[in-house]
Amino acid sequence: SELFLARAAVLVEGLTEKLVLPFVFSALGHDVDREAISIIECGGKPNLPLFTRICKATGVPFVVVHDSDRQPNGRLVAAERALNALIADTAGEERTVVLDPDFEAVAGLEGRRRKPERAWREFASRTSAEMPGHLLRVADLAMSLARSQERWDERSTRKPVSI
């Protein structure tokens, strides 16, 4: 429900990204709550196209963040290639940030055990200089969208939308 009240949304695959991104914004001097940016856990990569369609239908500006899920040999299996293309097509490449091969590699986190907790602890103490560039890009895009929406909100009022 917080999606519908947001000035901008960041659509992510899961809990780890949802927990970490507020620290990225904070390191840049931004407060996601004050800026009315919602970080939405979509319950997995296959659900991202649905959430992008909802954002488009309701007029909520958004950024999509997902793993490429490239294999260690550098290849993408056909299903991942197709899903990545669907996300890019649905969201638009300018609104999509792909973490290659995945969040753990981009964030410099090793292992999968207790990942959300470990990521939360790690990112809570990072400075902006220690944040991964891809995640800084997510924050910059979302801030730009939220501030554009803020100017739009001042000029007109939102009308209720039914889906």
Side-chain angles (χ1 to χ4, degrees):
S1 63
E2 71 179 280
L3 173 66
F4 302 111
L5 301 174
R7 278 197 194 120
V10 179
L11 307 176
V12 299
E13 290 185 41
L15 180 60
T16 303
E17 297 90 339
K18 181 177 176 66
L19 292 173
V20 162
L21 280 168
F23 293 119
V24 177
F25 281 88
S26 181
L28 292 171
H30 307 300
D31 181 322
V32 291
D33 293 327
R34 182 172 287 123
E35 298 292 341
I37 296 172
S38 293
I39 301 168
I40 307 296
E41 177 187 0
C42 295
K45 185 175 170 180
N47 294 326
L48 290 169
L50 170 64
F51 279 83
T52 62
R53 289 183 190 109
I54 292 168
C55 287
K56 285 180 175 182
T58 58
V60 176
F62 63 91
V63 177
V64 176
V65 182
H66 70 87
D67 299 343
S68 74
D69 291 317
R70 187 176 307 278
Q71 295 179 331
N73 65 9
R75 294 190 177 160
L76 279 172
V77 297
E80 290 299 337
R81 189 177 316 109
L83 182 54
N84 291 348
L86 176 62
I87 294 167
D89 184 54
T90 307
E93 289 189 19
E94 70 283 354
R95 292 177 183 251
T96 304
V97 177
V98 180
L99 307 177
D100 190 35
D102 56 25
F103 175 82
E104 295 79 16
V106 168
L109 298 173
E110 295 181 18
R112 306 265 180 201
R113 193 163 180 262
R114 300 174 67 181
K115 182 177 71 166
E117 178 187 351
R118 286 186 306 106
W120 187 85
R121 290 182 189 280
E122 171 71 26
F123 275 78
S125 62
R126 285 190 183 183
T127 66
S128 61
E130 298 169 314
M131 294 293 177
H134 282 72
L135 299 183
L136 294 172
R137 181 167 173 255
V138 169
D140 287 341
L141 284 169
M143 285 300 302
S144 175
L145 291 170
R147 296 213 168 135
S148 303
Q149 189 68 14
E150 182 177 83
R151 288 189 296 277
W152 183 84
D153 285 344
E154 291 170 359
R155 291 191 308 268
S156 65
T157 59
R158 278 190 179 177
K159 294 179 175 58
V161 175
S162 60
I163 297 178

